[in-house]
C-alpha cells in the first residue's frame, strides 16, 4: 500500500510541476527586431549592440536608407521573451 501511495505522490508532483514551471516559447528564425538605441548616444557601443534587451520585436522592420548604423536585426530567433537570441544566426540591418 505504501508503494502505491508513493507512486501516486510522485505522479501528482510531476503533474503539478507541468503547470507551474514556465516554459520558454522560442520561435523559429525569421523574426525582425528594431534596435531601440538607434539615433541615441552610445548606439554603436558593442555592449549596447549585443544586448538583446535593446531590441523590440516588429513586423516588418523598416531600414529604408542603407548606411553604417544598426537599426535592427532580421531572420533572428526569439529567445522566448520577445528579444532576439544572439547565440543563433541573424542578419544585421543598417541605415544612416
Amino acid at each position: 500500500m505504501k508503494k502505491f501511495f508513493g507512486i501516486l505522490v510522485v505522479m501528482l508532483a510531476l503533474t503539478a510541476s507541468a503547470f507551474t514551471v514556465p516554459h520558454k516559447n522560442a520561435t523559429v528564425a525569421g523574426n525582425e527586431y528594431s534596435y531601440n538605441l538607434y539615433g541615441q548616444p552610445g548606439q554603436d557601443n558593442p555592449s549596447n549592440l549585443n544586448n538583446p534587451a535593446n531590441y523590440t520585436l516588429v513586423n516588418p522592420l523598416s531600414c529604408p536608407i542603407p548606411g553604417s548604423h544598426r537599426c535592427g536585426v532580421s531572420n533572428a530567433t526569439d529567445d522566448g521573451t520577445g528579444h532576439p537570441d544572439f547565440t543563433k544566426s541573424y542578419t544585421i540591418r543598417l541605415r544612416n
Side-chain angles (χ1 to χ4, degrees):
M1 182 74 173
K2 287 182 182 179
K3 185 177 185 181
F4 293 115
F5 181 71
I7 292 172
L8 179 64
V9 169
V10 170
M11 288 176 56
L12 285 173
L14 289 173
T15 303
S17 71
F19 294 104
T20 59
V21 177
H23 298 284
K24 289 179 113 180
N25 293 325
T27 305
V28 183
N31 293 322
E32 297 182 335
Y33 299 87
S34 175
Y35 181 49
N36 300 336
L37 299 179
Y38 175 79
Q40 308 262 336
Q43 71 178 351
D44 295 323
N45 290 347
S47 61
N48 290 333
L49 292 170
N50 297 320
N51 183 352
N54 291 332
Y55 295 82
T56 301
L57 181 64
V58 296
N59 189 18
L61 177 63
S62 177
C63 298
I65 303 168
S68 59
H69 299 288
R70 187 178 297 187
C71 70
V73 294
S74 60
N75 298 321
T77 302
D78 194 294
D79 67 359
T81 64
H83 302 289
D85 183 352
F86 288 141
T87 63
K88 309 272 196 277
S89 66
Y90 59 93
T91 304
I92 296 172
R93 301 278 301 273
L94 304 172
R95 76 175 182 193
N96 251 351

